[in-house]
Amino acid sequence: MLRRKILAALSVLALAAPAAVRAQNAGEINLYSARHYDTDRALYDAFTQETGIRVRLIEGQADQLIERIRNEGANSPADVFLTVDAARLARAAQAGILAPHGSAVIDERVPAGLRDPQGLWFAFSQRARLIMYDREKGRPEGLNRYEDLADPRFKGMLCTRSGAHPYNTSLGASVLMADGPQKTEEWARGVVANLARPPQGGDRDQFRAIPSGQCGIAIANSYYLGQYGRSDKPEDQALFKRIGVIFPNQGEGDRGTHVNISGGGLVKSAPNRANAIHFLEFMTTHKAQEAFALGNMEYPVVADTPLHPALAAMGKFRAEPVNAAGNLDKTPEALQIMQRAGWN
């Protein structure tokens, strides 16, 4: 119900834009996106109604879109590239398909730690990689860090999706950057030894298996659980209240909870450059940031953007600094380590 209200509100806000403003900015952009959310589509419609700039949406997997833009070369119709993974943003920059956006608006609204130093990309939303547990059984003692997931006291308790999924390889790369190869391999083997079942399904499947006793603890992204807290269904609300969350690595001097980002950048060969920059700036407006925070239960990047009460109820945390280039560099090694450990 709330999601429908948010979508409807975006439409109303868009239609309220003066016709003269929309006509003045008529044109189009070609958006290559690896995000696939209804709230995003509503946001694009709101942008079009507000500015008159039509959004042509081309969806796909991030790596495929990057390769497509490379193959299209100087004749690529792509204006903007969006994706849901920091390493993919770094890969797009490394592939040479992005150009500096040159927007003072973006630089003012988005913290420096969530922007590429050369202005090739920036984050517009975040999601945290959490450890989840059964509130009815209480928070597991001694479980405070990602590294603790390998502790033998949690043998047979852990549920997680495939180690090859970008959410987990990103986490693995974070551990690798912090702890080095040897300790990361020990950690990955400990994680596998503690699995309650072979890795399977998506993030929702991990914490949904907790109440039945299949799992004692799970690894999942924050926004998946938040979506249950936003739901009007009693059974979803019951699950949300049942699942407790741990923001790992919050101790003094520790690195903070691992976050991944959704972000975007201006394509170097953009045929509609001015419109593309206008769109990228729009993604940092309060209207767009509220859509991410209230509609898709992601953490916004612009200060003072309100959170959904369910997301706020999960608690505050200190995030690990985003290192997109480092994550990209370490992901292949992290994946090899995890697969050697049997985290398939």
Side-chain angles (χ1 to χ4, degrees):
M1 180 66 71
L2 179 57
R3 188 176 192 176
R4 290 196 294 271
K5 289 180 180 178
I6 292 166
L7 296 176
L10 284 171
S11 299
V12 170
L13 285 169
L15 291 171
V21 173
R22 297 198 299 270
Q24 181 180 356
N25 295 290
E28 67 179 25
I29 63 165
N30 296 297
L31 172 61
Y32 283 40
S33 177
R35 284 176 59 95
H36 314 291
Y37 305 112
D38 292 342
T39 47
D40 284 12
R41 291 175 179 269
L43 194 59
Y44 305 155
D45 290 341
F47 171 75
T48 297
Q49 292 293 336
E50 182 175 301
T51 65
I53 300 171
R54 181 170 57 174
V55 178
R56 295 181 178 273
L57 179 62
I58 296 91
E59 294 184 309
Q61 297 297 318
D63 291 339
Q64 295 171 347
L65 292 175
I66 292 170
E67 193 60 28
R68 176 172 174 174
I69 294 171
R70 287 185 64 182
N71 290 336
E72 289 170 342
N75 295 321
S76 175
D79 293 300
V80 172
F81 170 72
L82 303 183
T83 188
V84 293
D85 179 55
R88 264 63 182 188
L89 287 167
R91 182 169 294 160
Q94 190 179 81
I97 67 169
L98 301 179
H101 53 69
S103 169
V105 171
I106 293 172
D107 291 346
E108 179 182 353
R109 292 174 177 166
V110 180
L114 296 173
R115 292 184 274 115
D116 175 67
Q118 282 74 49
L120 297 178
W121 55 263
F122 66 95
F124 50 76
S125 68
Q126 307 173 84
R127 65 279 306 270
R129 198 85 179 131
L130 305 183
I131 300 172
M132 302 184 184
Y133 64 94
D134 190 345
R135 287 184 184 274
E136 292 188 1
K137 296 180 180 178
R139 175 170 172 155
E141 185 178 351
L143 184 54
N144 301 300
R145 311 178 74 234
Y146 294 113
E147 287 82 350
D148 295 333
L149 291 168
D151 192 313
R153 78 177 77 183
F154 305 119
K155 187 174 181 64
M157 294 179 62
L158 177 63
C159 281
T160 179
R161 73 194 303 164
S162 168
H165 190 277
Y167 293 161
N168 279 336
T169 54
S170 179
L171 174 60
S174 167
V175 174
L176 181 58
M177 285 186 283
D179 298 339
Q182 181 176 340
K183 289 186 177 180
T184 301
E185 182 133 11
E186 293 171 359
W187 171 75
R189 293 189 183 280
V191 165
V192 171
N194 288 344
L195 290 176
R197 63 185 186 187
Q200 57 189 262
D203 275 13
R204 294 182 187 90
D205 298 307
Q206 313 315 316
F207 60 78
R208 283 194 302 213
I210 289 177
S212 66
Q214 297 179 61
C215 317
I217 53 177
I219 306 172
N221 275 351
S222 52
Y223 79 113
Y224 288 114
L225 181 61
Q227 289 167 0
Y228 282 83
R230 183 190 61 193
S231 172
D232 295 324
K233 296 179 180 179
E235 61 270 27
D236 291 346
Q237 282 293 321
L239 179 63
F240 178 75
K241 293 173 182 177
R242 176 90 180 252
I243 302 300
V245 301
I246 297 170
F247 292 97
N249 298 76
Q250 293 295 292
E252 185 177 355
D254 211 337
R255 62 186 183 275
T257 294
H258 178 64
V259 296
N260 210 334
I261 59 176
S262 283
L266 174 70
V267 176
K268 182 184 292 186
S269 57
N272 303 291
R273 180 184 176 88
N275 287 346
I277 294 173
H278 196 168
F279 173 83
L280 290 170
E281 290 176 343
F282 178 80
M283 298 293 273
T284 69
T285 62
H286 283 297
K287 181 187 298 184
Q289 289 290 295
E290 287 184 8
F292 298 133
L294 303 179
N296 205 42
M297 305 300 286
E298 297 174 273
Y299 291 103
V301 301
V302 175
D304 300 326
T305 303
L307 296 179
H308 188 283
L311 201 59
M314 291 166 63
K316 296 182 179 180
F317 68 100
R318 177 169 48 83
E320 177 185 39
V322 172
N323 183 351
N327 200 286
L328 175 63
D329 181 58
K330 294 298 184 182
T331 291
E333 184 180 359
L335 178 59
Q336 289 177 359
I337 289 173
M338 295 161 79
Q339 289 182 331
R340 270 201 309 269
W343 191 347
N344 299 313

